[in-house]
Amino acid sequence: MSQFDPAPFSRRTLLKNSGAAAAAVAASQFILPGAHAAEDNTLGLALVGCGGRGSGAVRDALSVEGGPIKLKAMADVFDQRLNDSYNALNTKFADKMDVPPDQKFIGFEAYKQAMDCLKPGDIVILTTPPAFRWVQFQYAIEKGLNVFMEKPVTVDGPTSRKMLDLAEKASAKNLKVAVGLMCRHCRARGELFNRIQDGQLGELLLLRAYRMVGPTGSAFAPPYKGDTSEVLYQIANFHGFLWASGGAFSDFLIHNIDESCWMKNDWPIQAQASGGRHYRGDYVDQNFDTYSVEYTFKDGTKLFLEGRTMLNCKQEFSSYAHGTKGSAIISTSGHHPSKARIYYNQNFKKENLVWEYGQPERSPYEWEWVDFLEAIRNDKPYNEVKRGVQASLVTSMGRMAAHTGQLITYDEMLNCEHEFAPDVDKLTLDGPAPLQATENGKYPIPMPGIKTKREF
């Protein structure tokens, strides 16, 4: 099993003044490696994948301190999505936008065209569905670009192995690579991590994580009506198809899994799980409505994960840690604010509180860009891909356990040969989709206990 990568910041960095004013002063000193003070040190930015997360990543990049930066190019497979993203960003950041019409690209080769608009050392944001991550990351490395990529970075064993190899190639070229597991950059969670490692909870015995909400993203995919190509239909509903995103499980539950494993300072070695489809109606996606996973670490400690996407049910979006000396809230309700707290026993009551992180908290979506840009400007080693692959793989391990009804180990998941979209780099706008519907318009779904070697 791959070893755990250290947290992105140490106790020393947490003790530094993290106020925006101090960071802004530091930002004023940023000069690109090799550049002279009189030279233009503006970083160029290209966006590949112009959906909500991609637009949000650009918004964060253009909002934080970190020296001059401009958006230079955009790429997507949907022109309306690209135009909507451009218009929204231009309304707020007109002075940081330099995207003429001939640098807006549509199609499966658009990612290359957008990256070709940048110079080595600039940044490309990869926020397409994760199936395309290794293809686009590979080209970014060839172009000598720094990369911000969204999670998950892989959805199966073969792509995980590809991404681990590419991570080493990126490091060999001294490229900086950030992965959108932004909770790792949250200062509140970071201080909680240090306190747990210092033994303030004693020995960790149990971790619990919940994302029990209503329908999320495009996880509930309606029937294909033939009004566009099937591959574009599946990309538009990418949360509904395992090849594109790992489904709702991988795309959404990864954050709770990752922040819990961070607190444990380790990755689970195996998972067993259950789940099912309930009120699917006419929806044709591959998702379950409920997931329940028991992850086991090598010392026997458990992480219990509960996922649900159903209407009119109790909702909870949080993570917890329990130890021999007390307990902790890792996240309270979503990603931000964490409101990390420690209690001297197992009851989360005010009178039992022994520590809490001060409020207000800065968004981890901003902190991840502050840290990333600081590494680029000061030429510090920075590559989060290995850890991103590990988090993605552990997530896939739990998903596969639920979808097959089998106990799945970390090594089995890593070495699994079922690649969901082996020809993803050859897709065309009007060509066949990686997943084909049956005669009744339905797509293959997981069948635990029947399909035990693969998920669909």
Side-chain angles (χ1 to χ4, degrees), residues 144-155:
L145 300 175
N146 299 306
V147 178
F148 176 92
M149 65 175 71
E150 255 307 326
K151 54 74 208 164
V153 300
T154 70
V155 299

Side-chain angles (χ1 to χ4, degrees), residues 3 12 21 30 40 47 84 89 93 117 148 154 178 186 204 216-217 282 298 301 308 326 332 362 364 388 407 446 452:
Q3 294 300 307
R12 179 178 299 175
F30 287 156
D40 179 13
L47 173 61
D84 289 347
L89 291 168
F93 302 104
C117 295
F148 176 92
T154 70
C186 169
L204 276 188
T216 49
D282 293 330
K298 58 179 174 287
T301 302
R308 182 171 63 202
T332 303
R362 188 175 188 178
L407 186 149
T452 61

Side-chain angles (χ1 to χ4, degrees), residues 7 56 67 85-86 97 182 219 238 253 284 290 377 399 419 422 430:
S85 175
Y86 174 83
M97 301 283 287
M182 69 288 171
F238 70 101
L253 296 179
V284 298
T290 59
R377 296 290 185 180
R399 185 199 67 221
E419 185 170 0
D430 56 355

Side-chain angles (χ1 to χ4, degrees), residues 252-447:
F252 297 112
L253 296 179
I254 187 172
H255 288 295
N256 296 83
I257 293 168
D258 183 59
E259 68 182 9
S260 297
C261 292
W262 181 20
M263 298 303 142
K264 177 62 178 171
N265 204 19
D266 203 358
W267 299 108
I269 59 172
Q270 67 182 38
Q272 63 180 16
S274 61
R277 294 164 66 89
H278 302 283
Y279 314 119
R280 302 310 292 171
D282 293 330
Y283 293 112
V284 298
D285 56 86
Q286 298 179 289
N287 292 304
F288 284 176
D289 298 295
T290 59
Y291 291 94
S292 182
V293 185
E294 177 193 271
Y295 285 107
T296 302
F297 296 90
K298 58 179 174 287
D299 66 358
T301 302
K302 306 290 186 181
L303 161 60
F304 290 106
L305 171 72
E306 300 292 336
R308 182 171 63 202
T309 53
M310 300 174 70
L311 293 170
N312 303 317
C313 297
K314 177 186 179 295
Q315 297 195 0
E316 182 169 3
F317 189 173
S318 54
S319 303
Y320 308 93
H322 299 268
T324 55
K325 293 182 180 179
S327 57
I329 294 176
I330 304 169
S331 57
T332 303
S333 179
H335 304 314
H336 172 73
S338 161
K339 295 185 178 179
R341 291 164 294 211
I342 291 178
Y343 298 81
Y344 74 80
N345 59 17
Q346 304 303 317
N347 293 318
F348 299 137
K349 295 182 178 180
K350 187 174 182 179
E351 59 266 28
N352 300 328
L353 182 70
V354 296
W355 170 82
E356 63 181 336
Y357 192 82
Q359 299 299 309
E361 298 176 39
R362 188 175 188 178
S363 168
Y365 287 103
E366 295 183 359
W367 274 126
E368 67 180 345
W369 275 96
V370 170
D371 295 339
F372 183 40
L373 292 174
E374 196 272 340
I376 293 172
R377 296 290 185 180
N378 293 313
D379 196 22
K380 294 182 177 180
Y382 198 95
N383 190 333
E384 298 183 321
V385 176
K386 180 181 177 182
R387 197 189 70 225
V389 172
Q390 291 170 317
S392 301
L393 195 70
V394 166
T395 302
S396 294
M397 180 171 72
R399 185 199 67 221
M400 186 174 183
H403 286 171
T404 62
Q406 309 302 303
L407 186 149
I408 305 297
T409 69
Y410 184 100
D411 290 334
E412 287 172 340
M413 190 69 238
L414 178 62
N415 295 304
C416 179
E417 291 302 328
H418 182 197
E419 185 170 0
F420 292 174
D423 295 320
V424 69
D425 56 331
K426 301 179 180 66
L427 292 179
T428 60
L429 291 176
D430 56 355
L435 189 67
Q436 297 296 307
T438 59
E439 291 181 359
N440 63 1
K442 301 284 187 179
Y443 291 93
I445 61 172
M447 302 177 70

Side-chain angles (χ1 to χ4, degrees), residues 51-342:
R53 185 72 281 274
S55 300
V58 173
R59 183 174 60 249
D60 296 330
L62 300 182
S63 297
V64 303
E65 62 276 10
I69 187 169
K70 279 196 174 186
L71 184 64
K72 297 280 191 177
M74 302 175 74
D76 205 287
V77 294
F78 300 105
D79 53 1
Q80 187 62 52
R81 181 182 293 170
L82 187 154
N83 291 330
D84 289 347
S85 175
Y86 174 83
N87 291 334
L89 291 168
N90 195 54
T91 298
K92 187 173 182 180
F93 302 104
D95 61 329
K96 298 182 179 181
M97 301 283 287
D98 185 17
V99 190
D102 62 353
Q103 291 184 190
K104 299 175 182 177
F105 304 102
I106 300 297
F108 282 118
E109 296 296 306
Y111 73 94
K112 292 182 179 180
Q113 298 167 303
M115 290 190 223
D116 289 346
C117 295
L118 301 179
K119 63 183 184 299
D122 282 343
I123 304 170
V124 60
I125 296 176
L126 304 180
T127 47
T128 59
F132 301 96
R133 197 74 74 241
W134 72 266
V135 179
Q136 295 165 356
F137 185 32
Q138 181 173 262
Y139 192 72
I141 294 171
E142 293 175 10
K143 299 293 292 185
L145 300 175
N146 299 306
V147 178
F148 176 92
M149 65 175 71
E150 255 307 326
K151 54 74 208 164
V153 300
T154 70
V155 299
D156 54 36
T159 56
S160 295
R161 299 193 296 273
K162 290 176 184 178
M163 286 294 288
L164 289 172
D165 180 61
L166 289 172
E168 294 183 0
K169 293 179 179 178
S171 291
K173 295 187 72 169
N174 193 31
L175 300 176
K176 321 306 177 189
V177 191
V179 172
L181 291 168
M182 69 288 171
C183 294
R184 290 279 184 145
H185 296 267
C186 169
R187 272 37 179 182
R189 290 173 177 88
E191 185 168 338
L192 176 61
F193 168 82
N194 283 332
R195 289 172 178 270
I196 290 175
Q197 300 312 304
D198 282 344
Q200 292 188 26
L201 292 189
E203 182 182 353
L204 276 188
L205 301 175
L206 172 68
L207 293 145
R208 297 184 292 123
Y210 304 84
R211 187 159 181 169
M212 301 191 299
V213 295
T216 49
S218 57
F220 285 66
Y224 172 52
K225 296 181 179 179
D227 50 350
T228 184
S229 71
E230 191 170 13
V231 67
L232 288 181
Y233 153 78
Q234 291 183 15
I235 291 173
N237 296 279
F238 70 101
H239 291 127
F241 296 96
L242 294 175
W243 76 264
S245 64
F249 189 104
S250 283
D251 208 289
F252 297 112
L253 296 179
I254 187 172
H255 288 295
N256 296 83
I257 293 168
D258 183 59
E259 68 182 9
S260 297
C261 292
W262 181 20
M263 298 303 142
K264 177 62 178 171
N265 204 19
D266 203 358
W267 299 108
I269 59 172
Q270 67 182 38
Q272 63 180 16
S274 61
R277 294 164 66 89
H278 302 283
Y279 314 119
R280 302 310 292 171
D282 293 330
Y283 293 112
V284 298
D285 56 86
Q286 298 179 289
N287 292 304
F288 284 176
D289 298 295
T290 59
Y291 291 94
S292 182
V293 185
E294 177 193 271
Y295 285 107
T296 302
F297 296 90
K298 58 179 174 287
D299 66 358
T301 302
K302 306 290 186 181
L303 161 60
F304 290 106
L305 171 72
E306 300 292 336
R308 182 171 63 202
T309 53
M310 300 174 70
L311 293 170
N312 303 317
C313 297
K314 177 186 179 295
Q315 297 195 0
E316 182 169 3
F317 189 173
S318 54
S319 303
Y320 308 93
H322 299 268
T324 55
K325 293 182 180 179
S327 57
I329 294 176
I330 304 169
S331 57
T332 303
S333 179
H335 304 314
H336 172 73
S338 161
K339 295 185 178 179
R341 291 164 294 211
I342 291 178

